[in-house]
Amino acid sequence: MAKLISKTYGEALFEVAMEGQKTDLFLQEAQEILTILDENPELDKLMKHPKVSRQEKEQVLDNVFLGNVSREMTGFMKLLINKDRYSELPKIFQYLIERIREERKIGTAYVTTAVELSTEKKAAIQKRLLETTDYKTIDVYYDVDQTIIGGMIIRIKDRVVDSSVRTQLEEMKKQLLQIQLG
């Protein structure tokens, strides 16, 4: 349900950005607002508090964001308050950011390996990912997890390519357990 809400509102905000040719602005503002909320958890807590009236929440939004972000963005946040959807704001903005990046053919990949990769290997992986996807550019985030033993795990959106030794061993174990002797 929450994913449907964030997609619905995020897509509407994306359409407004596209129609007004404000994707750059909305992308920047969404990232800045998420940073502000992340750095100021008390603000987020105040905005979600059930005993703070909608009018007071709107006044807080005006005090914090009016003049610092576009009229459309403050209006959108007020709409979320009035529809009791403010708690979904981070997910909505994340959806918007991802949607704009997709529109611009900018991808994000997460690569997990058992050992730290050299700069050359990272460049080769990034080059290969660009060749095998439709992205013009791709941001690659690397993580080291020694428990995968070897190989790598690559995640792009909801696709996962797992060529880790750990997974291969688990698959072999399943196959061996299914073999019936006799």
Side-chain angles (χ1 to χ4, degrees):
M1 178 74 170
K3 192 167 189 169
L4 180 62
I5 292 169
S6 62
K7 182 179 180 191
T8 302
Y9 282 91
E11 194 62 36
L13 193 55
F14 175 74
E15 292 297 325
V16 170
M18 290 296 287
E19 288 173 12
Q21 297 180 344
K22 294 185 176 185
T23 54
D24 288 338
L25 177 66
F26 281 24
L27 177 64
Q28 178 186 350
E29 289 180 346
Q31 291 170 329
E32 289 173 357
I33 291 168
L34 288 175
T35 300
I36 289 168
L37 294 176
D38 192 44
E39 292 174 352
N40 299 289
E42 57 280 347
L43 172 63
D44 196 42
K45 188 176 180 181
L46 172 74
M47 296 302 291
K48 292 177 182 173
H49 199 285
K51 295 204 178 195
V52 177
S53 72
R54 288 180 177 160
Q55 293 79 14
E56 290 171 312
K57 290 177 183 178
E58 286 184 11
Q59 187 61 46
V60 169
L61 279 181
D62 284 342
N63 291 340
V64 174
F65 296 109
L66 199 61
N68 297 316
V69 297
S70 65
R71 196 175 41 79
E72 294 92 345
M73 196 60 80
T74 53
F76 180 77
M77 290 189 292
K78 287 179 181 180
L79 172 75
L80 293 178
I81 288 171
N82 288 315
K83 298 283 186 180
D84 286 326
R85 298 288 190 208
Y86 178 83
S87 62
E88 299 296 322
L89 184 128
K91 292 177 187 168
I92 293 167
F93 282 174
Q94 277 305 121
Y95 178 88
L96 174 68
I97 291 166
E98 290 172 18
R99 185 71 172 83
I100 291 172
R101 286 175 57 90
E102 283 292 319
E103 179 71 21
R104 295 177 177 180
K105 302 247 184 244
I106 301 170
T108 304
Y110 299 90
V111 177
T112 304
T113 56
V115 296
E116 185 69 35
L117 297 175
S118 67
T119 306
E120 295 82 23
K121 287 193 181 199
K122 287 180 179 180
I125 289 170
Q126 186 168 10
K127 182 177 182 240
R128 183 72 177 130
L129 289 173
L130 284 171
E131 291 170 354
T132 58
T133 63
D134 293 333
Y135 296 123
K136 293 178 182 174
T137 62
I138 192 162
D139 297 329
V140 184
Y141 298 94
Y142 295 93
D143 185 36
V144 175
D145 180 0
Q146 295 176 348
T147 65
I148 70 169
I149 305 169
M152 70 177 64
I153 302 169
I154 301 173
R155 183 174 62 85
I156 300 175
K157 293 198 301 186
D158 59 353
R159 281 187 53 208
V160 177
V161 177
D162 187 342
S163 64
S164 66
V165 172
R166 177 183 64 197
T167 300
Q168 292 172 9
L169 289 171
E170 287 172 4
E171 286 299 316
M172 286 173 57
K173 179 181 174 183
K174 285 179 190 174
Q175 291 173 2
L176 288 172
L177 289 172
Q178 290 178 355
I179 296 174
Q180 294 184 1
L181 299 175

